[in-house]
Amino acid sequence: MDRTAPSDPGTPPIRYVESLDSIEPAHLHGFFAGWRHPFAPDEHLRMLEGSDRVVLAIDTETARVVGFVAALTDGVQGAFITLLEVLPAFQGQGVGQALMTRMLERLSDIQTIELMCDAGLVPFYARFGMTPASGMVLRRREP
Ligand SMILES: CC(C)(COP(=O)(O)OP(=O)(O)OC[C@H]1O[C@@H](n2cnc3c(N)ncnc32)[C@H](O)[C@@H]1OP(=O)(O)O)[C@@H](O)C(=O)NCCC(=O)NCCS
């Protein structure tokens, strides 16, 4: 699926896609901003290929991926949103909201959607009807 959303004047038009067709590591630079151990673009692409659902935001002027969200699901009961990120230069323009909205539409047949996030992001995810819950995590390497 391929949808182009209207953008503010001065910001490039963003196309939202739900497949990895034509996506190469070169389109995936600049993500994992602020991570101590950021994934390289080729690892990022492998991560997206290993996901059950992905939505990408693409700058139509450069073909560069400027935001993405990925999820794993059993197809019935549960889905876990593994990563959501918008490149810093594209934040605050509605891209994160559009990615989450599209991903939740793609997971509309799944009963429970989960993700882990820092406390500061609770208000962002609450916009989609999500509520805080406790969880456990084993990090083999600090992000
Ligand atoms: C979190 C993130 C995906 C949001 O994407 P974004 O494109 O900047 O967000 P949007 O512009 O779509 O914001 C939509 C709305 O949510 C609000 N919002 C954005 N981030 C927020 C936050 N951390 N807390 C509360 N509200 C937030 C915006 O103010 C906006 O509100 P408005 O519609 O009333 O103006 C982005 O900041 C990001 O990539 N951060 C770094 C990676 C990260 O933290 N990912 C989440 C891992 S769990």
Side-chain angles (χ1 to χ4, degrees), residues 26-93:
H27 298 128
L28 289 167
H29 279 278
F31 288 103
F32 308 102
W35 287 41
R36 213 184 307 170
H37 303 288
F39 288 96
D42 62 316
E43 293 174 304
H44 188 182
L45 183 56
R46 275 173 38 219
M47 192 183 298
L48 295 172
E49 288 168 343
S51 301
D52 295 308
R53 308 269 197 284
V54 295
V55 185
L56 308 180
I58 296 178
D59 175 349
T60 56
E61 288 178 358
T62 62
R64 186 179 176 200
V65 177
V66 300
F68 74 96
V69 58
L72 301 174
T73 180
D74 59 21
V76 180
Q77 187 276 332
F80 192 85
I81 294 178
T82 49
L83 286 169
L84 164 70
E85 185 173 355
V86 176
L87 291 180
F90 288 80
Q91 290 178 11
Q93 300 169 30

